[in-house]
Amino acid sequence: MKQELKHWAENMIVADADYVSRVAFNLIVNFERMLGRRIPPADLARWLECVALDGGLRDSNHEIGVVLVHEKDAIKLENFQPDGYEAELNGKAFMSALGEFTVNAVAVESFTTKEQLMADIVEMLVSQGEVRRLAIVPNAEEGDTVDRLRRILQRAEGDRVVTLLAMQPLMGSCFRQEILGYSLMQAMGIRGEELGGGQ
């Protein structure tokens, strides 16, 4: 892979950033109409913390590496804050109750596709013995990304927890699954009681 990751850790998050941005936009539009109020851009730090929790991370003092894969012409993570890939995100870190998150923004180069790049990154991470927990946010609605990931995870050796986040249920015994919308709603400040669920 031409672009090497600057950081990997025992806990990793890999996300198709363009897809997540599109899902966030759809949620903002739908919830603004439903709730009759403005929905702010998702808080990126809060979202990543929720993804890590969905991936099974607990306690504190962890290192969490984040890989945001995006199209080469995209300069920012739309519908999130902060959003600038180079100015605000790539190579930056932040602390949360779970530990330190370090962000890599990786652009898709002309010699590959996003599906292949996501697959290459995941394959590289599962070959690293120190990666014990992996949360993946693929575009499960288009292309064959999930099939590629399923094949990689079925072949992977070692004992690690892998969680895929998607908007719809996915088939597969080699990973856990969580619904992507819940973490995004948390990051946008949408509360359960607003939806009539009462939680």
Side-chain angles (χ1 to χ4, degrees), residues 7-12 57 61-65 98-101:
H7 181 87
W8 65 63
E10 184 173 304
N11 309 286
M12 294 294 302
L57 198 61
N61 297 320
H62 296 285
E63 285 191 19
I64 305 101
L98 292 173
E100 185 175 46
F101 288 73

Side-chain angles (χ1 to χ4, degrees), residues 88-196:
E88 299 176 287
L89 301 178
N90 193 36
K92 302 296 193 295
F94 68 90
M95 292 297 297
S96 89
L98 292 173
E100 185 175 46
F101 288 73
T102 303
V103 180
N104 292 279
V106 179
V108 179
E109 298 292 347
S110 57
F111 55 80
T112 190
T113 64
K114 190 185 299 170
E115 291 84 359
Q116 187 59 53
L117 183 55
M118 289 278 294
D120 288 347
I121 291 170
V122 169
E123 190 158 29
M124 180 188 72
L125 291 175
V126 297
S127 73
Q128 304 299 323
E130 61 264 47
V131 177
R132 310 305 307 151
R133 187 173 284 105
L134 176 60
I136 311 169
V137 190
N139 180 350
E141 298 170 19
E142 300 171 4
D144 65 346
T145 302
V146 173
D147 288 336
R148 291 183 192 215
L149 294 175
R150 190 180 288 112
R151 288 192 293 270
I152 291 167
L153 297 173
Q154 286 170 339
R155 293 193 310 263
E157 297 178 359
D159 182 27
R160 68 182 55 80
V161 177
V162 179
T163 306
L164 264 64
L165 288 85
M167 293 301 286
Q168 301 294 333
L170 300 173
M171 298 292 293
S173 58
C174 51
F175 54 81
R176 300 167 60 240
Q177 192 199 344
E178 297 290 339
I179 299 299
L180 172 61
Y182 297 151
S183 56
L184 287 169
M185 288 165 59
Q186 283 283 326
M188 293 171 184
I190 299 169
R191 301 179 306 278
E193 55 266 28
E194 290 186 279
L195 307 178

Side-chain angles (χ1 to χ4, degrees), residues 6-31:
K6 298 185 181 82
H7 181 87
W8 65 63
E10 184 173 304
N11 309 286
M12 294 294 302
I13 297 170
V14 180
D16 180 333
D18 305 300
Y19 171 68
V20 173
S21 175
R22 192 164 72 242
V23 172
F25 173 77
N26 290 336
L27 289 175
I28 289 170
V29 169
N30 289 331
F31 280 113

Side-chain angles (χ1 to χ4, degrees), residues 31-47:
F31 280 113
E32 284 186 342
R33 187 179 305 120
M34 183 187 308
L35 302 177
R37 71 171 176 86
R38 181 181 173 277
I39 303 296
D43 179 321
L44 180 61
R46 179 68 183 130
W47 179 67

